[in-house]
Amino acid sequence: MGRHSCYKQKLRKGLWSPEEDEKLLRHITKFGHGCWSSIPKQAGLQRCGKSCRLRWINYLRPDLKRGTFSQEEENLIIELHSVLGNRWSQIAAQLPGRTDNEIKNLWNSCLKKKLRQRGIDPVTHKPLSEAENGEDGNKVQPKSDESSRKTDNNGSSKDIFESTIGANSQACDLVCHFQMQQLNYAPAANARLSSTHWFTETSKAFDINTELSSSSMMSTLLPPLTSAFVSDNPPIAGTYGSRYWGTSASANNNSNNNSNSTSTIAEPQGNNNSIFDNNSFSWGLMETQAEETKWSEYLNNPLLMAAALQNQTPQSLYNLEIKTEPYLFTTTSSSSNSMLAQIQDHHQQQQQQQQVVPLQNSDICGKDMQRVTAAFGQGRTQDFRLGGTNL
DNA sequence: AAATCTAGCAACCGCCTAATA
DNA sequence: GTATTAGGCGGTTGCTAGATT
């Protein structure tokens, strides 16, 4: 079988620089991504297509929801994991704006630990004592090994579900009923973003694409756009939480920066830590100041975001085929140059305006800190304390 | 103040399947 | 039918920064 050799070629590896991000973003903004393997050349990047794809999916995509995971999201991940196991992409499909990588990291670094602290085995989702005994032959064990990946490549979880749960209907009834009750709110929010299956309370998988395609179904099932699930933890779209290549050593040269970066923080505003209220920026879609004030609404709502990007109403998006890629932005009147300039200018302004307050010990909750890096701002970083995790 | 530990995150690696030549 | 390529996925690694000793 052909093996990717991109990592073995003389291509750049490691962290992405702001310049590389800019090139990639600019290119995809203009042309969409189309064939990933040709993008590096077209965009003037010394990266392999795979790396570009990853960067886009995990970081540059405009519909990404950044910031800490809300309680609802964490709970949903746990529930989904109990059914799907380590099928991160399928789990991510149910969490709009979250990437599989992000969820995987959260699981490995945080949720697993929390479950253990609760006395729950993160693999079996059973009480640890019971899991350790490992006696029963009737366990609903999420498949997390290699074999579990041998499913259809369309993101369908039907067969998985049937094999893991359907084959064990007795356990399934218990598990599913519980889970479906808790998950009932989720499908609608996710239906528009994922091409996957959802489950009914009878444990039967149904194809969300087909079954939700009728407008009546959609109107019945779709929650208000401001559902807690989506809005509890506002996305920091448009801001970037990434280490850039060279960031730590050379990039912290902005005026706000000092050698002890932990000594100051940007004060979270309100319960929702509306960081993006201060740090949102336009993607070149909204030209006026008045329009910019609406931005947080867009950030709160991936649908609105997508609609804005595609010059479509949210309503029309409901009826779109779910697949959101390839992203082909409408450039409207803004060239990508002005868009990027706008991003930079906006961040500079925000940084100047930002109120910096001394860090209180009470603000720190372990490592519940979200590092938000201003994109395209010469790699400078800015720390924000977000609310502690709640599990 | 320095050394060490720990957590979080971005990215790499290798495997898989599907599509195509 | 076989080889190759591309895209996708999950596991893992390595780096950074904060916390602790």
Side-chain angles (χ1 to χ4, degrees), chain A residues 280 282 286 288-296 342 346 350:
Chain A
S280 61
S282 164
M286 285 165 282
T288 67
Q289 191 72 23
E291 281 172 323
E292 207 169 84
T293 61
K294 299 175 190 169
W295 190 235
S296 61
Q342 232 177 323
H346 191 93
Q350 294 299 344

Side-chain angles (χ1 to χ4, degrees), chain A residues 312-330:
Chain A
Q312 290 172 337
T313 64
Q315 285 73 18
S316 66
L317 278 174
Y318 286 140
N319 297 324
L320 284 178
E321 188 53 41
I322 305 303
K323 195 82 172 177
T324 55
E325 292 184 287
Y327 293 94
L328 184 55
F329 301 165
T330 53

Side-chain angles (χ1 to χ4, degrees), chain A residues 98-164:
Chain A
R98 299 297 190 183
T99 69
D100 53 355
N101 209 31
E102 205 177 1
I103 292 169
K104 180 169 59 182
N105 283 335
L106 177 74
W107 179 265
N108 287 328
S109 67
C110 192
L111 295 184
K112 262 161 95 171
K113 210 174 302 170
K114 286 178 178 177
L115 283 177
R116 283 204 189 94
Q117 285 169 0
R118 287 171 164 186
I120 298 169
D121 180 46
V123 178
T124 62
H125 291 262
K126 288 185 163 191
L128 272 173
S129 53
E130 194 178 334
E132 281 164 3
N133 290 338
E135 75 289 347
D136 77 297
N138 200 22
K139 63 170 73 172
V140 182
Q141 174 135 356
K143 300 173 88 175
S144 58
D145 57 8
E146 269 307 297
S147 65
S148 71
R149 292 166 57 187
K150 292 175 181 171
T151 61
D152 75 65
N153 236 17
N154 301 321
S156 166
S157 52
K158 182 177 177 181
D159 51 348
I160 299 164
F161 196 75
E162 285 175 352
S163 62
T164 56

